[in-house]
Amino acid sequence: MGNVINLRQARKAKARTEKEKKAEANRARFGQTKAQKTKQRFETDKLERHLDGHKREALGDASQMDDKGE
């Protein structure tokens, strides 16, 4: 005769392992500390400011310069 297993316990054990797999995936996906998030946000803002400061004027703005007498 085979081993007798409790189906309720087997179902709960399976649910625990699936929940742990999902938690591990979420930790890998969202697992940043607040300091890491803040640093990333700061670096992104700094890069955007740097790039905005180096933008060139569009060609359409040249007509506005003529109107000013420059």
Side-chain angles (χ1 to χ4, degrees), residues 19-33:
K19 188 175 181 180
E20 180 59 33
K21 286 180 185 178
K22 184 176 180 182
E24 185 177 343
N26 283 339
R27 282 192 298 267
R29 188 172 174 197
F30 301 109
Q32 288 186 339
T33 65

Side-chain angles (χ1 to χ4, degrees), residues 29-47:
R29 188 172 174 197
F30 301 109
Q32 288 186 339
T33 65
K34 186 172 184 176
Q36 289 171 331
K37 290 177 190 176
T38 304
K39 182 180 178 185
Q40 180 67 33
R41 196 174 309 120
F42 173 77
E43 289 175 352
T44 303
D45 290 344
K46 183 179 178 182
L47 178 62

Side-chain angles (χ1 to χ4, degrees), residues 5-6 8-9 12 14 16-18 39 44 70:
I5 59 169
N6 187 331
R8 178 180 51 85
Q9 290 176 343
K12 286 185 177 184
K14 182 180 176 187
R16 275 192 298 269
T17 58
E18 288 176 2
K39 182 180 178 185
T44 303
E70 295 178 1

